[in-house]
PDB file of all heavy atoms in Angstrom:
ATOM      1  N   LEU A 117       5.065 -11.222 -11.306  1.00 94.00           N
ATOM      2  CA  LEU A 117       4.558 -10.941 -12.626  1.00 94.00           C
ATOM      3  C   LEU A 117       5.445 -11.605 -13.699  1.00 94.00           C
ATOM      4  O   LEU A 117       6.013 -10.908 -14.610  1.00 94.00           O
ATOM      5  CB  LEU A 117       4.531  -9.441 -12.882  1.00 94.00           C
ATOM      6  CG  LEU A 117       3.654  -8.622 -11.956  1.00 94.00           C
ATOM      7  CD1 LEU A 117       3.925  -7.141 -12.101  1.00 94.00           C
ATOM      8  CD2 LEU A 117       2.193  -8.942 -12.220  1.00 94.00           C
ATOM      9  N   PRO A 118       5.645 -12.920 -13.636  1.00 91.00           N
ATOM     10  CA  PRO A 118       6.613 -13.544 -14.559  1.00 91.00           C
ATOM     11  C   PRO A 118       6.171 -13.533 -16.044  1.00 91.00           C
ATOM     12  O   PRO A 118       6.980 -13.473 -16.950  1.00 91.00           O
ATOM     13  CB  PRO A 118       6.717 -15.016 -14.054  1.00 91.00           C
ATOM     14  CG  PRO A 118       5.425 -15.255 -13.378  1.00 91.00           C
ATOM     15  CD  PRO A 118       5.024 -13.916 -12.804  1.00 91.00           C
ATOM     16  N   GLU A 119       4.847 -13.553 -16.269  1.00 89.00           N
ATOM     17  CA  GLU A 119       4.363 -13.595 -17.638  1.00 89.00           C
ATOM     18  C   GLU A 119       4.144 -12.198 -18.243  1.00 89.00           C
ATOM     19  O   GLU A 119       3.791 -12.063 -19.407  1.00 89.00           O
ATOM     20  CB  GLU A 119       3.017 -14.364 -17.704  1.00 89.00           C
ATOM     21  CG  GLU A 119       1.832 -13.669 -17.120  1.00 89.00           C
ATOM     22  CD  GLU A 119       1.724 -13.674 -15.599  1.00 89.00           C
ATOM     23  OE1 GLU A 119       2.521 -14.374 -14.974  1.00 89.00           O
ATOM     24  OE2 GLU A 119       0.885 -12.961 -15.044  1.00 89.00           O
ATOM     25  N   GLU A 120       4.342 -11.147 -17.463  1.00 89.00           N
ATOM     26  CA  GLU A 120       4.154  -9.795 -17.890  1.00 89.00           C
ATOM     27  C   GLU A 120       5.432  -9.139 -18.250  1.00 89.00           C
ATOM     28  O   GLU A 120       6.404  -9.252 -17.543  1.00 89.00           O
ATOM     29  CB  GLU A 120       3.444  -8.998 -16.847  1.00 89.00           C
ATOM     30  CG  GLU A 120       2.069  -9.402 -16.468  1.00 89.00           C
ATOM     31  CD  GLU A 120       1.081  -9.248 -17.579  1.00 89.00           C
ATOM     32  OE1 GLU A 120       1.251  -8.356 -18.451  1.00 89.00           O
ATOM     33  OE2 GLU A 120       0.095 -10.000 -17.622  1.00 89.00           O
ATOM     34  N   PRO A 121       5.524  -8.408 -19.395  1.00 92.00           N
ATOM     35  CA  PRO A 121       6.740  -7.658 -19.682  1.00 92.00           C
ATOM     36  C   PRO A 121       6.752  -6.380 -18.831  1.00 92.00           C
ATOM     37  O   PRO A 121       5.919  -5.507 -19.004  1.00 92.00           O
ATOM     38  CB  PRO A 121       6.565  -7.328 -21.184  1.00 92.00           C
ATOM     39  CG  PRO A 121       5.123  -7.353 -21.428  1.00 92.00           C
ATOM     40  CD  PRO A 121       4.545  -8.342 -20.457  1.00 92.00           C
ATOM     41  N   VAL A 122       7.713  -6.314 -17.926  1.00 90.00           N
ATOM     42  CA  VAL A 122       7.841  -5.137 -17.063  1.00 90.00           C
ATOM     43  C   VAL A 122       9.040  -4.351 -17.455  1.00 90.00           C
ATOM     44  O   VAL A 122      10.170  -4.883 -17.451  1.00 90.00           O
ATOM     45  CB  VAL A 122       7.937  -5.565 -15.559  1.00 90.00           C
ATOM     46  CG1 VAL A 122       8.146  -4.381 -14.660  1.00 90.00           C
ATOM     47  CG2 VAL A 122       6.683  -6.360 -15.125  1.00 90.00           C
ATOM     48  N   VAL A 123       8.840  -3.078 -17.805  1.00 88.00           N
ATOM     49  CA  VAL A 123       9.930  -2.235 -18.236  1.00 88.00           C
ATOM     50  C   VAL A 123      10.691  -1.657 -17.046  1.00 88.00           C
ATOM     51  O   VAL A 123      11.876  -1.626 -16.998  1.00 88.00           O
ATOM     52  CB  VAL A 123       9.371  -1.113 -19.158  1.00 88.00           C
ATOM     53  CG1 VAL A 123      10.451  -0.167 -19.468  1.00 88.00           C
ATOM     54  CG2 VAL A 123       8.743  -1.707 -20.398  1.00 88.00           C
ATOM     55  N   SER A 124       9.899  -1.179 -16.062  1.00 93.00           N
ATOM     56  CA  SER A 124      10.538  -0.544 -14.929  1.00 93.00           C
ATOM     57  C   SER A 124       9.672  -0.681 -13.674  1.00 93.00           C
ATOM     58  O   SER A 124       8.438  -0.735 -13.791  1.00 93.00           O
ATOM     59  CB  SER A 124      10.859   0.898 -15.193  1.00 93.00           C
ATOM     60  OG  SER A 124       9.677   1.645 -15.284  1.00 93.00           O
ATOM     61  N   VAL A 125      10.334  -0.765 -12.567  1.00 94.00           N
ATOM     62  CA  VAL A 125       9.675  -0.741 -11.239  1.00 94.00           C
ATOM     63  C   VAL A 125      10.388   0.359 -10.454  1.00 94.00           C
ATOM     64  O   VAL A 125      11.570   0.216 -10.122  1.00 94.00           O
ATOM     65  CB  VAL A 125       9.782  -2.089 -10.487  1.00 94.00           C
ATOM     66  CG1 VAL A 125       9.092  -1.991  -9.144  1.00 94.00           C
ATOM     67  CG2 VAL A 125       9.185  -3.210 -11.334  1.00 94.00           C
ATOM     68  N   ARG A 126       9.689   1.464 -10.200  1.00 96.00           N
ATOM     69  CA  ARG A 126      10.246   2.552  -9.446  1.00 96.00           C
ATOM     70  C   ARG A 126       9.638   2.514  -8.051  1.00 96.00           C
ATOM     71  O   ARG A 126       8.409   2.496  -7.949  1.00 96.00           O
ATOM     72  CB  ARG A 126       9.990   3.885 -10.135  1.00 96.00           C
ATOM     73  CG  ARG A 126      10.608   5.057  -9.393  1.00 96.00           C
ATOM     74  CD  ARG A 126      10.466   6.352 -10.110  1.00 96.00           C
ATOM     75  NE  ARG A 126       9.090   6.702 -10.160  1.00 96.00           N
ATOM     76  CZ  ARG A 126       8.632   7.849 -10.606  1.00 96.00           C
ATOM     77  NH1 ARG A 126       9.442   8.686 -11.140  1.00 96.00           N
ATOM     78  NH2 ARG A 126       7.345   8.134 -10.571  1.00 96.00           N
ATOM     79  N   ILE A 127      10.445   2.466  -7.061  1.00 96.00           N
ATOM     80  CA  ILE A 127      10.028   2.476  -5.663  1.00 96.00           C
ATOM     81  C   ILE A 127      10.464   3.688  -4.913  1.00 96.00           C
ATOM     82  O   ILE A 127      11.637   4.072  -4.995  1.00 96.00           O
ATOM     83  CB  ILE A 127      10.581   1.188  -4.967  1.00 96.00           C
ATOM     84  CG1 ILE A 127      10.153  -0.062  -5.728  1.00 96.00           C
ATOM     85  CG2 ILE A 127      10.107   1.102  -3.526  1.00 96.00           C
ATOM     86  CD1 ILE A 127      10.889  -1.321  -5.365  1.00 96.00           C
ATOM     87  N   THR A 128       9.490   4.334  -4.317  1.00 95.00           N
ATOM     88  CA  THR A 128       9.747   5.562  -3.500  1.00 95.00           C
ATOM     89  C   THR A 128       9.409   5.267  -2.110  1.00 95.00           C
ATOM     90  O   THR A 128       8.290   4.896  -1.743  1.00 95.00           O
ATOM     91  CB  THR A 128       8.942   6.742  -4.070  1.00 95.00           C
ATOM     92  OG1 THR A 128       9.167   6.863  -5.482  1.00 95.00           O
ATOM     93  CG2 THR A 128       9.269   8.014  -3.338  1.00 95.00           C
TER      94      THR A 128
END
Side-chain angles (χ1 to χ4, degrees):
L117 301 168
E119 72 283 351
E120 296 293 335
V122 176
V123 174
S124 69
V125 178
R126 183 175 67 175
I127 302 166
T128 305

